Amino acid sequence: MSKLLRGQVWEVDLEPQTHKEEPGKRGRPALVIQTDALNGAGHPTTIVVMGTTQVRRDKDYFPLRVALVNQPGMRRDTDLLIDQIRAISNNRFMGTKPLATLSTNHLKRVEEALKLLTGR
C-alpha cells in the first residue's frame, strides 16, 4: 500500500463491524482527512470521512453530503457523508493505491462542510 495522504479517496473494508449505525461494506469509499504529519508518523489508525455510492441528487444536501461527480479514478459517483467521520485501522485500507485524489477545490468544500458541522 502506498502512503496515505490527506485528500485521497481509498476503498476500505468495514467488515467485520462492531457498531451498527451504518451498514458495513467491503470496498466502500473513504476520504482521508487526517493531517499528513500524523499520516507519516506510523500511527495505526487514520481519520476518514465515509462515502457512499448511493448518491442523492434531488436537492443539495450540503453540508451533510459533498458530491464527487465524474471524479477521475472513481468508477461511480460518490457522496461524502460529512457526518460519518471515524478513525479506522490502517489495515482496513484496500489496494495498493488510492482510487482518487481530490482537487484543492473539492477538499476546500469538504473542509467548509466539516467546519459548519463542528461549529468551527
Side-chain angles (χ1 to χ4, degrees), residues 12-13 16 20 34 46 55 58-59 61 63 72 80 93 95 103 111:
V12 298
D13 182 0
K20 297 298 178 190
Q34 179 170 281
T46 300
V55 298
D58 54 316
K59 66 177 186 173
Y61 287 89
L80 296 173
F93 288 88
S103 68
E111 291 167 346

Side-chain angles (χ1 to χ4, degrees), residues 48-96:
V48 299
V49 171
M50 297 309 304
T52 182
T53 55
Q54 296 177 3
V55 298
R56 312 258 321 254
R57 298 291 181 261
D58 54 316
K59 66 177 186 173
D60 185 8
Y61 287 89
F62 186 83
L64 293 177
R65 289 178 178 235
V66 173
L68 301 180
V69 180
N70 299 321
Q71 188 72 27
M74 297 184 66
R75 295 183 300 270
R76 298 173 65 186
D77 288 350
T78 297
D79 280 356
L80 296 173
L81 305 172
I82 303 302
D83 61 338
Q84 294 291 318
I85 301 167
R86 60 181 76 177
I88 62 171
S89 167
N90 292 342
N91 295 329
R92 292 188 178 271
F93 288 88
M94 300 171 61
T96 58

Side-chain angles (χ1 to χ4, degrees), residues 4 14-17 19 21 29 33-34 36 38-40 42 47 55 60 69 73-74 79 84 92-93 99 104 120:
L4 298 171
L14 297 182
E15 296 291 345
Q17 189 174 355
H19 301 296
E21 294 89 13
I33 59 168
Q34 179 170 281
D36 285 337
L38 193 52
N39 290 335
I47 302 168
V55 298
D60 185 8
V69 180
M74 297 184 66
D79 280 356
Q84 294 291 318
R92 292 188 178 271
F93 288 88
L99 297 171
T104 302
R120 292 278 165 187

